[in-house]
Amino acid sequence: QVQLVESGGGLVQPGGSLRLSCTAPGFNLDYYAIGWFRQAAGKEREGVSCISSFDGITTYADSVKGRFTASRDNAKNTIYLQMNNLKFEDTAVYYCATDTLSNCRYSSKNAVVMAPDAHWGQGTQVTVAS
């Protein structure tokens, strides 16, 4: 059973920064695209970012473009999401997920999506409040 583990969430003021981490003990993430998703209370889960495997190509939702940066450190088997200039509307539980492919996949509306049998983490809470 593959289990992803997110960390780095917390409480931050608007304009602040956080860096989320995603790792998978005992499972090599090198070969798979990794997506970051978030779900705010009462809202549907949305794709935030995706980073492909070998070439590290990243994509972002319009709502976070220019503020969030995804990266991966294969030596540490860890994927990061650097979040800068955080806004109230970024408050959500953030999840990482590993696809079954090395490239990211998208819906017809260009949103990041994962394979049905993707592996997910348990989520980490990010709260932006003054």
Side-chain angles (χ1 to χ4, degrees):
Q1 181 72 18
V2 178
Q3 182 65 53
L4 274 64
V5 181
E6 303 97 338
S7 61
L11 174 64
V12 64
Q13 292 185 338
S17 298
L18 285 173
R19 188 178 77 160
L20 305 183
S21 299
C22 171
T23 190
F27 182 78
N28 191 343
L29 296 173
D30 291 4
Y31 305 108
Y32 306 101
I34 306 297
W36 285 99
F37 295 78
R38 67 185 181 187
Q39 187 165 19
K43 295 187 177 181
E44 291 187 356
R45 186 173 63 196
E46 65 167 332
V48 173
S49 176
C50 186
I51 182 166
S52 63
S53 172
F54 299 110
D55 49 18
I57 293 176
T58 53
T59 55
Y60 303 94
D62 288 343
S63 57
V64 306
K65 204 170 290 183
R67 300 187 297 120
F68 289 13
T69 303
S71 61
R72 61 195 306 156
D73 185 337
N74 288 344
K76 295 183 177 179
N77 200 39
T78 301
I79 287 79
Y80 301 100
L81 185 67
Q82 178 68 43
M83 306 187 297
N84 297 328
N85 190 21
L86 283 161
K87 303 177 180 181
F88 291 121
E89 53 264 39
D90 294 319
T91 295
V93 178
Y94 284 71
Y95 302 88
C96 63
T98 177
D99 205 306
T100 56
L101 300 176
S102 59
N103 292 324
C104 299
R105 65 179 83 203
Y106 306 93
S107 70
S108 58
K109 296 183 178 180
N110 231 24
V112 173
V113 294
M114 287 281 117
D117 53 349
H119 302 293
W120 292 83
Q122 81 290 348
T124 184
Q125 176 71 47
V126 171
T127 302
V128 184
S130 56

